[in-house]
Amino acid sequence: MKSLCVLLLDAILLASFVEDSETAGRHAAWSKRLKNVLETHRFKTEGGSWTPDPSDLLGEYEVEPPVRDTNAYFMTDNNTVVTVQVGTTAALRCQVFDVAEHETVSWIRRRDHHLITVGANTYSNDERFQVTYSEKTQDWTLHVRYAQPHDAGVYECQLSAHPPIGVITTLNVIEAVAEIGGGPERYVQIGSSVQLTCTIKHFTEPPTYVFWYHAEHMINYDSNKRITVVNRLGESELRISQVTKADSGNYTCQPANARPAFVSLHIITGETPAAMQRASATEVQYRLSITLLSSLLALVAL
C-alpha cells in the first residue's frame, strides 16, 4: 500500500513538470495536499480504521443553492418602507403572480415570528390585523388598523414554496403633534381680539377634524358669535373678538390622531398684571447673571 501511494505521488509530481506554469501550480498544490492526506492516513490507520475528510481530498467547494419548485414571482419590491401616523390604517402590499393551488401567501411579523395571516385567514388575536386579496391585481394586502408605535417593525410576505421565498416591508409609525404659536401663555387687553393658530406637524394624513376646547367645553360650534374656527390643511385658527374676562382660561387644540396643544389666555384690564411684571423681572435677573458670569470668566482668563 505504501509503495503504491509513493508511486502515485511520483506520477503526479512528474506530470506537473510537463504542463504550463498555471497548471503546474495547481498540480503542485494537489500533490502537497495528497501527500498530507497520505501522511495522515499512515498515522491514523495504526490505531484502527479512518475515513478521510472530503475537504482534504477535494479542497474548498461551494454548496449549490437549492432549486425552488415554483413559478410564482413577486412584483412588490423587497425592503419597502411604509410610514403612517398613530391612529391611522397601515396598508402593506404584497403583489405575487402565478401562485399555484398548493401554495399559500402568508404575512409574518419578523420581530417575534408571529404568523398573522395564511391565505385569507387571520391567525392573530389582534383584531386590528386584516388581509384583503384582489384577484385582478394578485395583491395580498395586510391592513393594520389604528396603528400604534408598538406596531412598527419588519413584516414579511412569504410564499410557501420549497424553500419559502418572500419580500420584506418595514412599517414606521410616527406621532403627529399640534403646536400653538406664541408660547404657553398669552396676554390680551380686554375688548381687543385674539387669534390662536394651531399647526399640526409630522402628519401623513390631514386630520379629519380639529376641535378647540375652552377648559372642558368644545367651542367649535359655540353659539357665541364672537368665536369662530377656521380650518386649513395642517392648520386651525381660533378667533375671539372683543374678549371679556369670561374668555380667560386654558384652551386646547385637539386634532384627530395627533397629540394636543395647550395655551393659557390671560385677559388684561388696565395696568400690566403682576404676573407679567414678575416675568419681566425674572428676565432682567437672568440677563444680569449672564453678564456677571461673562465678566468673571474674562477676569479668570487674564
Side-chain angles (χ1 to χ4, degrees), residues 82-92 126-130 142-152 155 171-176 200-209 255-259:
V82 175
T83 301
V84 299
Q85 72 185 69
V86 172
T88 61
T89 298
L92 282 56
D126 193 335
E127 296 181 353
R128 297 178 304 121
F129 289 110
Q130 182 184 9
L142 176 65
H143 302 274
V144 186
R145 296 180 298 169
Y146 309 110
Q148 298 300 314
H150 65 264
D151 294 319
Y155 293 78
L171 174 62
N172 295 327
V173 182
I174 61 175
E175 184 177 14
I200 297 90
K201 298 182 176 181
H202 313 307
F203 66 90
T204 60
E205 299 179 12
T208 54
Y209 62 82
N257 302 320
R259 188 190 310 165

Side-chain angles (χ1 to χ4, degrees), residues 270-285:
E271 299 296 330
T272 303
M276 295 183 65
Q277 293 177 1
R278 287 196 299 269
S280 300
T282 301
E283 183 178 357
V284 171
Q285 292 175 358

Side-chain angles (χ1 to χ4, degrees), residues 77-206:
D77 292 334
N78 195 22
N79 296 319
T80 58
V81 178
V82 175
T83 301
V84 299
Q85 72 185 69
V86 172
T88 61
T89 298
L92 282 56
R93 296 188 59 189
C94 180
Q95 195 174 26
V96 52
F97 287 91
D98 290 345
V99 178
E101 291 185 1
H102 67 279
E103 296 172 335
T104 56
V105 177
S106 304
W107 275 100
I108 301 171
R109 185 170 57 201
R110 293 289 294 273
R111 179 179 68 238
D112 52 3
H113 302 287
H114 175 53
L115 181 64
I116 303 174
T117 66
V118 176
N121 300 315
T122 303
Y123 285 83
S124 175
N125 293 328
D126 193 335
E127 296 181 353
R128 297 178 304 121
F129 289 110
Q130 182 184 9
V131 64
T132 58
Y133 169 65
S134 172
E135 185 176 358
K136 180 179 180 180
T137 61
Q138 297 293 296
D139 198 334
W140 303 80
T141 302
L142 176 65
H143 302 274
V144 186
R145 296 180 298 169
Y146 309 110
Q148 298 300 314
H150 65 264
D151 294 319
V154 177
Y155 293 78
E156 179 182 359
C157 177
Q158 188 179 96
L159 178 69
S160 61
H162 179 72
I165 54 177
V167 293
I168 297 298
T169 300
T170 300
L171 174 62
N172 295 327
V173 182
I174 61 175
E175 184 177 14
V177 296
E179 183 179 285
I180 299 176
E185 305 283 338
R186 293 286 298 273
Y187 295 87
V188 181
Q189 189 73 34
I190 192 170
S192 62
S193 298
V194 62
Q195 177 178 300
L196 302 177
T197 303
C198 178
T199 304
I200 297 90
K201 298 182 176 181
H202 313 307
F203 66 90
T204 60
E205 299 179 12

